[in-house]
Amino acid sequence: MKKYALVGTGGRAGLYISAIGGQWKENARMVAFCDSNQTRMDYANQLLQNEDAPPVSTWKAAQFEAMIRETRPDVVIVTTMDRTHDDYIVRALHAGCDVITEKPMTIDEQRALRILDAIEQTGKTVRVAFNYRYAPHHSKVRELLMNNTIGDVYSVHFEWLLNTEHGADYFRRWHREKRNSGGLLVHKSTHHFDLMNFWLNSYPQRVYAEGGLRFYGRENAEKRGVTQFYPRTHGYAAADDDPFALHMADNPQLKALYLDAEHEDNYWRDQSVFSDGITIEDTLSVLVKYQNQCQLSYSLNTYLPWEGLNVVFNGSQGRLEMKIVEKSYVNAGGERANEGSLESCDITVFPMFAAPWKADFTLGEGGHGGGDNAMLADLFGTPGHDPLQRAADHRAGAMSILTGIAGNISMQQQRPVNFNEFELVARLKKQ
């Protein structure tokens, strides 16, 4: 049985806590939590006890190495703020642990190089928790393309829609500052760019991006005629009738995780999406040329009436289309099984000289159409042979974030960015 310690007990941590304390308790054991906030660690222990698992020791962030020495975990799970991922990953590797990290693996090339250095120096491993790979519908697309269903893929149009509940949520919390998250091209789109690498079995060659903050933020609201503003929802009457406000006091999970923990760190989880201080984009378009010569046009918008995606693949023998409508959710604000769950999903193949047909696939239970549970089984169970090769290591983590990093550089410098400009790409080729 492997022992696990978890650092960062915010919203993403619950997925791993319930899995290790519950379904996978015969394979895995949680031994410690680490965070800067004791209230959140106490809540994490409540989640463990809800699974009939015993509480574990809690350690403040400055005690990270001491935690590892005393509790001797085999694996450290990193679910902290994105900009701190590399710090905990590197320290865990040098302390003799393997690592499972939430996406994105990190937010810029220099941090990624630190992780690569530590892997090479220690011989330990890093897994990136790309649950979308395991979602049955995304796995089905991988299978169809691997089987040459539409021949060679020449172009892809990929449109991801975030709605006014989930999409707005990135502008309420720490993600709204690019220094923390790398912007949505890194934090959110790492999922989508990883899917592209996974689906096409190729990596990008060149990236060009455009983007801006067009809807959220005070200045944009003022242009639309808004005159009443507030800094956060809690304690401000002006937020009462705002559909963009997040009322944590009305949600037991958000209240326990964040509102009740504010006295320790002054972190506001419910900032107004129309306040100042937002430095990430909400409207993004990216063009990508892949090493296999496929062309991608990608867009991400965060203020739309429905949540989901449209993706189409154009190939030498036909076309593949997938449309998904996802249920709306707020991170840590409801049942975990509803996160990324589907209202509808259609995968249609249009052969060049034959009638179109619907691809069959079976959704599983839990979040992301069963993708969460399938990933957890791979992480904590006894995985068998996987012809789709869904497990993602540090290489997959690095190559997915590099598309977003290149996009950020492209927007800043107004030019295409070639992947051969990155030292990280050259280093990965030598591994």
Side-chain angles (χ1 to χ4, degrees), residues 134-138 140 324-325 340-347 360-371:
Y134 295 85
H137 41 294
H138 297 321
K140 187 64 179 182
I324 295 172
V325 177
S341 60
L342 307 187
E343 291 187 0
S344 63
C345 178
D346 288 307
I347 301 175
D360 293 326
F361 59 94
T362 302
L363 294 177
E365 295 182 357
H368 298 95

Side-chain angles (χ1 to χ4, degrees), residues 21-274:
Q23 182 177 2
W24 300 106
K25 65 178 63 176
E26 300 301 321
N27 298 62
R29 179 163 66 93
M30 191 73 76
V31 296
F33 292 131
C34 181
D35 199 296
S36 59
N37 190 296
Q38 186 64 49
T39 302
R40 276 198 285 276
M41 288 193 285
D42 292 343
Y43 182 71
N45 263 324
Q46 289 180 33
L47 295 179
L48 263 185
Q49 291 173 285
N50 291 344
E51 300 290 343
D52 293 325
V56 300
S57 60
T58 60
W59 304 75
K60 287 297 186 72
Q63 301 172 303
F64 182 71
E65 278 80 9
M67 175 194 71
I68 293 176
R69 286 195 304 271
E70 292 295 322
T71 63
R72 301 177 62 83
D74 301 294
V75 182
V76 172
I77 301 172
V78 178
T79 54
T80 57
M81 183 186 298
D82 294 352
R83 69 173 167 84
T84 66
H85 283 188
D86 68 302
D87 182 52
Y88 289 111
I89 291 170
V90 169
R91 291 162 68 188
L93 293 172
H94 281 293
C97 302
D98 293 322
V99 173
I100 296 169
T101 182
E102 259 298 319
K103 62 81 191 168
M105 187 175 76
T106 187
I107 64 170
D108 59 36
E109 186 188 19
Q110 292 307 308
R111 287 176 167 90
L113 284 167
R114 285 193 67 218
I115 294 171
L116 185 59
D117 287 342
I119 290 170
E120 291 175 346
Q121 291 162 7
T122 65
K124 307 305 287 186
T125 63
V126 174
R127 288 280 300 270
V128 183
F130 281 128
N131 50 1
Y132 272 127
R133 288 184 172 213
Y134 295 85
H137 41 294
H138 297 321
S139 294
K140 187 64 179 182
V141 171
R142 162 86 159 172
E143 177 189 327
L144 291 168
L145 296 179
M146 284 177 64
N147 291 337
N148 211 36
T149 304
I150 60 168
D152 296 329
V153 179
Y154 295 149
S155 68
V156 182
H157 174 69
F158 192 173
E159 175 190 26
W160 199 282
L161 301 87
L162 292 168
N163 68 6
T164 50
E165 184 174 9
H166 181 203
D169 206 36
Y170 295 107
F171 299 84
R172 299 184 182 114
R173 45 193 175 137
W174 56 260
H175 308 70
R176 63 195 260 143
E177 295 183 54
K178 190 172 259 193
R179 70 182 186 91
N180 291 331
S181 64
L184 291 180
L185 278 188
V186 173
H187 175 81
K188 181 62 179 175
S189 299
T190 186
H191 263 320
H192 314 149
F193 297 140
D194 177 69
L195 281 175
M196 285 301 306
N197 297 342
F198 175 65
W199 284 332
L200 296 178
N201 194 31
S202 186
Y203 290 131
Q205 185 178 73
R206 185 166 55 252
V207 174
Y208 180 78
E210 293 281 357
L213 184 65
R214 304 297 304 278
F215 182 79
Y216 297 109
R218 179 163 182 151
E219 185 177 357
N220 290 321
E222 287 174 339
K223 289 176 181 177
R224 294 193 297 272
V226 176
T227 58
Q228 191 173 30
F229 295 91
Y230 57 91
R232 63 172 303 188
T233 298
H234 187 69
Y236 286 86
D240 289 348
D241 298 322
D242 184 359
F244 288 93
L246 182 69
H247 299 276
M248 293 191 294
D250 299 334
N251 185 294
Q253 291 171 265
L254 292 174
K255 181 177 182 297
L257 262 178
Y258 298 108
L259 189 59
D260 293 347
E262 286 182 1
H263 66 281
E264 291 193 46
D265 55 17
N266 297 311
Y267 172 56
W268 291 356
R269 171 68 174 78
D270 63 345
Q271 295 177 80
S272 168
V273 300
F274 301 117

Side-chain angles (χ1 to χ4, degrees), residues 394-414:
H394 67 280
R395 298 173 186 83
M399 294 306 289
S400 70
I401 59 171
L402 276 180
T403 309
I405 291 167
N408 282 333
I409 295 170
S410 177
M411 287 189 291
Q412 184 181 36
Q413 299 182 4
Q414 298 185 320

Side-chain angles (χ1 to χ4, degrees), residues 1-23:
M1 177 183 291
K2 284 188 176 181
K3 297 190 297 183
Y4 294 82
L6 184 143
V7 55
T9 54
R12 293 304 303 168
L15 177 71
Y16 304 97
I17 295 169
S18 60
I20 292 174
Q23 182 177 2

